[in-house]
Amino acid sequence: MAPLPQFAADTALVLRMYRAMTLVRVFDAKAVNLQRTGQLGTYPSSLGHEAAHVGVGAAMRPEDVLAPVYREFGTQLWRGVTMTEILTYWGGDERGSDFAVPRQDFAWCVPIATQTLHAAGAAMAFKVLKQPRCALAYIGDGGTSEGAFYEALNLAGARDLPVVFVIINNGWAISVPVAAQTAAQTLAQKAVAAGIPGVQVDGNDVFAVREVVGEALEAARRGAGPSLIEALTYRLSDHTTADDASRYRSGQEVKDAWALEPLIRIRDFLINAGLWDGAKEQALLDECTLKVDAAVTEYLGKAKPSSDAMFEHLFAALPARLHEQRLIARKYASKPSGH
Amino acid sequence: MVEAIAMAHGWEMQHDANVVVIGQDVGANGGVFRATAGLQERFGKDRVQDTPLAEATIAGMSVGMATHGLKPVAEIQFMGFLYPALDQIVNHMSRMRNRTRGRLSCPVVIRTPHGGGIHAPEHHSESTETMLCHIPGIRVVCPSSPVRAYGLLLAAIRDPDPVMFLEPVRLYRAMRQEVNDDGQALPLDVCFILREGCDVTIVTWGAMTMETLRAVTELDKRGISAEVIDLATLSPIDIETILASVAKTGRLVIVHEAARNVGVGAEIAALVAEHGLYDLLAPVQRVAGFDTIMPLFKLEHDYIPSVQRIIDAVEHTFAG
Ligand SMILES: Cc1ncc(C[n+]2csc(CCOP(=O)(O)OP(=O)(O)O)c2C)c(N)n1
Ligand SMILES: [Mg+2]
């Protein structure tokens, strides 16, 4: 076992990470529940990914840029995206992608792997503009099969860009296990052909993730180039609320994975350090529930957007040709409804 | 409708050992909509294969498999994820026969869900058939019912050339119909008259047949008798059937979910202008999606043409 990183002595930081992991877990359960009761659209749970997501968030600087996929809520919340924004987007409303903070982060990226090139491009902008910033792109294990992913690695290596790619290897791409995606023994080794460093990290260990990602970002920031990190974790949930994982994976596998889930480990660390107990845990859960409930209330209280929303941001200024269509849309718009 | 699609796969795989199914999650999971449910158990992992998560892979390997003895039926999980495959479709699949003077060909079917209306996430509700119809050398087919999905999919698999098969997601579960699993294909390249009428011709396809038929019921009450044509094969267009109908009714309304700009409706209107202008008693009307991005689901029903919009467009052809 490697020694604990220096920041582990920073009690406030460690507690903050634990709180963030707990909040996203409570939020996640609520979001799934909202979907089940018809109050949210299809939702991709982040259950089991809390250490990887929060560790990455804690390693990034506010001025860095995140290119997420769709389920990295732990990172986004850390960076200032709100739970209301997340619910608004997954509730079928583009306003959720208009983050108050962080203004420069990319929005969710559903077309798999395309975001990796955006991150490389943002890193190119930082390089050309001589800004000491980094881009960080997420990708799933399944996503590493897409051509765009290899192109992004290649570009980043060829141009020495300040970008870090984090593969969340959670074992599954919907129903397809990693072994069916690739014959490579690790996903980190995909860095080799791009001529950049590739490392694996225990994605259920928030200390390790923060340390490894932090080092990669600092290297990129000082001009030492890009890197690829494979965080090993497990998708404890169905792929999304539209999925039924019992069709394709064994209950035993999921049960085994629960024993390694990331909250246990950091909680044990805190307890052993005398920083945590049952009362504190209960208080934290209560506090998280209050926060989540407040966000849900705010989300549910949002009026449906008007049909004009389809036209408002299509271009900087709506071309004259489209004015007539905007009027037609208004004329036939369905009645405003709640959820 | 989704069961009819699975059934057509099953029939053809049973009767043609060269038919193979490929795609993301088509195996154990049976496809995210269950359109390939049960096939892997029945036909094994060689003939029903989960591919790596890569659409260029799916289309490109289909070209290689089809030119060498197999008949791939490939699923692209949603139409919004088709685009990495387009290079292979445009530059190879559609051109293979032509550029080798018939020496090699691509009997491939690429199936993909089409359109919105089921509260799906971003990029899951696209109807971009126009992009495909513009490609010479491929057929584009869109069924409007379980019976037609079964018969047209069989025809698409048996066809010696590539077919894009667009499956309206709103019909997957909404529409139930008795389907005979008798291996009977329906013809490609022809429209189907869903309902005869004498005052106006309405041409539509896919899920919009539902709104159109509802509008027609209302129009009946107002004394307007509409003939409804299901285009079915979007490219090449069976213009003869449409022209014959317009010659009878004198009026034409085209209804589609896809954006209006350069939509398939524009091609139909142009063909009727070229070949049937003097039969028209009123200007052609198009009822289509707006020239905007398909909105997230809170507004998807403000985007998809409503029954009322269709009724008003038909009535407009009687005004003045
Ligand atoms: C280009 C593209 N193809 C297919 C899909 C459909 N799809 C959504 S998520 C997913 C699996 C992704 O697996 P992975 O990359 O491992 O990420 P995870 O869901 O495990 O976080 C697929 C196939 C998509 N969104 N984009
Ligand atoms: Mg995965």
Side-chain angles (χ1 to χ4, degrees):
Chain A
M1 274 237 306
L4 278 174
Q6 247 181 342
F7 68 80
D10 180 348
T11 320
L13 174 65
V14 176
L15 282 170
R16 193 176 156 212
M17 293 197 298
Y18 180 62
R19 288 171 180 282
M21 290 167 67
T22 306
L23 178 64
V24 74
R25 169 102 25 125
V26 173
F27 169 75
D28 198 78
K30 185 70 185 182
V32 170
N33 193 267
L34 286 173
Q35 192 282 333
R36 300 281 186 236
T37 52
Q39 301 174 90
L40 192 70
T42 303
Y43 171 79
S45 166
S46 71
L47 188 65
H49 301 73
E50 296 85 356
H53 294 166
V54 169
V56 167
M60 291 179 74
R61 292 195 192 169
E63 67 269 25
D64 293 338
V65 156
L66 177 70
V69 193
Y70 37 73
R71 71 168 100 245
E72 299 82 15
F73 306 122
T75 314
Q76 290 183 308
L77 291 171
W78 187 281
R79 292 181 58 71
V81 175
T82 67
M83 291 184 278
T84 306
E85 286 164 344
I86 296 170
L87 294 171
T88 301
Y89 175 77
W90 294 98
D93 181 340
E94 284 83 356
R95 287 176 296 182
S97 292
D98 181 14
F99 310 142
V101 178
R103 293 300 289 168
Q104 294 291 306
D105 277 9
F106 289 99
W108 291 279
C109 185
V110 173
I112 300 286
T114 51
Q115 74 283 354
T116 55
L117 282 160
H118 307 162
M124 180 66 88
F126 302 152
K127 192 173 172 177
V128 171
L129 297 171
K130 301 197 174 17
Q131 296 174 353
R133 303 164 70 189
C134 300
L136 185 143
Y138 273 116
I139 186 149
D141 45 276
T144 63
S145 294
E146 290 276 9
F149 167 69
Y150 295 100
E151 295 181 32
L153 287 192
N154 183 63
L155 171 66
R159 295 291 175 270
D160 218 17
L161 300 176
V163 58
V164 174
F165 302 99
V166 178
I167 302 170
I168 301 292
N169 181 352
N170 60 11
W172 293 90
I174 310 186
S175 71
V176 181
V178 187
Q181 296 286 349
T182 179
Q185 272 191 334
T186 72
L187 298 177
Q189 76 197 59
K190 295 196 177 201
V192 174
I196 68 175
V199 295
Q200 282 189 314
V201 65
D202 181 346
N204 286 351
D205 181 339
V206 69
F207 293 104
V209 173
R210 187 189 184 272
E211 177 73 354
V212 168
V213 175
E215 278 172 6
L217 285 167
E218 286 325 305
R221 208 182 305 281
R222 59 166 194 271
S227 51
L228 176 66
I229 295 162
E230 175 187 8
L232 293 153
T233 180
Y234 190 82
R235 196 194 79 208
L236 291 169
S237 64
D238 291 338
H239 170 66
T240 65
T241 50
D243 178 44
D244 172 9
S246 71
R247 290 175 66 88
Y248 53 78
R249 69 178 184 187
S250 78
Q252 191 56 48
E253 179 183 310
V254 181
K255 226 170 136 194
D256 293 347
W258 268 104
L260 299 172
E261 71 91 1
L263 279 169
I264 299 174
R265 213 176 302 182
I266 179 168
R267 194 186 300 120
D268 283 351
F269 172 87
L270 289 172
I271 292 169
N272 290 338
L275 294 166
W276 207 248
D277 57 32
K280 284 189 172 137
E281 178 72 13
Q282 194 52 53
L284 173 60
L285 288 175
D286 291 346
E287 181 193 322
C288 290
T289 304
L290 278 179
K291 280 187 189 159
V292 170
D293 287 349
V296 170
T297 305
E298 192 186 356
Y299 155 67
L300 293 176
K302 269 199 178 172
K304 183 188 158 198
S306 89
S307 62
D308 278 10
M310 292 190 275
F311 298 87
E312 259 167 14
H313 296 287
L314 196 58
F315 295 96
L318 191 69
R321 274 283 286 141
L322 282 157
H323 288 181
E324 186 204 352
Q325 291 193 22
R326 183 169 55 182
L327 293 178
I328 297 172
R330 274 184 205 164
K331 182 172 166 196
Y332 293 99
S334 49
K335 299 271 166 300
S337 66
H339 291 266
Chain B
M1 189 175 81
V2 75
E3 295 86 357
I5 292 165
M7 207 193 270
H9 280 95
W11 176 282
E12 207 55 15
M13 294 189 80
Q14 187 72 44
H15 292 86
D16 183 343
N18 293 325
V19 174
V20 291
V21 168
I22 60 172
Q24 294 155 12
D25 307 288
V26 297
N29 201 31
V32 291
F33 285 106
R34 311 292 179 247
T36 56
L39 295 178
Q40 192 175 66
E41 284 150 42
R42 214 170 132 195
F43 299 106
K45 286 191 172 175
D46 269 353
R47 291 187 66 199
V48 182
Q49 289 196 24
D50 282 331
T51 61
L53 203 178
E55 291 72 17
T57 298
I58 293 172
M61 78 190 271
S62 291
V63 169
M65 291 160 80
T67 46
H68 293 85
L70 294 177
K71 291 187 187 170
V73 181
E75 176 173 299
I76 296 288
Q77 208 159 74
F78 284 90
M79 196 159 193
F81 310 137
L82 175 66
Y83 311 122
L86 279 180
D87 184 23
Q88 294 289 346
I89 295 170
V90 178
N91 282 327
H92 295 291
M93 208 178 278
S94 66
R95 299 163 80 108
M96 189 63 77
R97 180 184 297 284
N98 183 67
R99 61 191 285 265
T100 63
R101 305 285 80 194
R103 182 170 60 82
L104 298 173
S105 62
C106 287
V108 177
V109 177
I110 297 186
R111 304 172 32 249
T112 192
H114 171 265
I118 59 162
H119 274 210
E122 199 173 6
H123 305 281
H124 286 67
S125 302
E126 315 304 294
S127 44
T128 47
E129 60 265 33
T130 280
M131 293 170 61
L132 303 173
C133 291
H134 197 64
I135 306 168
I138 62 168
R139 282 186 169 75
V140 183
V141 174
C142 182
S144 65
S145 70
V147 165
R148 259 184 265 287
Y150 180 83
L152 290 172
L153 182 54
L154 286 179
I157 301 173
R158 291 171 194 171
D159 194 85
D161 290 306
V163 178
M164 299 296 308
F165 197 81
L166 312 181
E167 302 170 357
V169 292
R170 273 189 290 152
L171 302 183
Y172 270 143
R173 309 228 184 278
M175 213 178 191
R176 300 204 167 264
Q177 199 177 35
E178 205 57 49
V179 181
N180 284 334
D181 193 10
D182 55 6
Q184 288 294 311
L186 286 167
L188 301 177
D189 299 354
V190 298
C191 315
F192 299 94
I193 296 178
L194 295 186
R195 180 188 186 276
E196 293 193 9
C198 53
D199 298 327
V200 58
T201 301
I202 309 180
V203 177
T204 188
W205 54 91
M208 287 311 300
T209 53
M210 294 200 296
E211 279 80 5
T212 301
L213 290 172
R214 262 184 265 143
V216 160
T217 309
E218 181 56 33
L219 289 164
D220 274 338
K221 292 183 203 150
R222 303 183 190 186
I224 296 172
S225 151
E227 180 144 300
V228 179
I229 296 180
D230 170 10
L231 192 61
T233 299
L234 314 189
S235 180
I237 290 171
D238 167 18
I239 194 62
E240 282 73 25
T241 303
I242 296 169
L243 286 170
S245 177
V246 170
K248 181 171 72 171
T249 64
R251 293 180 174 83
L252 175 62
V253 175
I254 304 152
V255 180
H256 59 69
E257 182 170 326
R260 186 177 70 177
N261 195 33
V262 207
V264 175
E267 181 61 25
I268 296 169
L271 286 166
V272 170
E274 282 170 6
H275 304 290
L277 188 66
Y278 301 120
D279 290 325
L280 287 172
L281 301 170
V284 173
Q285 297 293 306
R286 282 181 287 160
V287 184
F290 299 112
D291 297 326
T292 66
I293 289 151
M294 177 62 164
L296 291 186
F297 68 77
K298 279 263 159 66
L299 286 181
E300 68 180 342
H301 288 292
D302 285 17
Y303 181 92
I304 299 171
S306 63
V307 173
Q308 191 59 49
R309 267 183 82 193
I310 300 169
I311 293 171
D312 289 356
V314 168
E315 293 202 317
H316 191 74
T317 64
F318 290 89

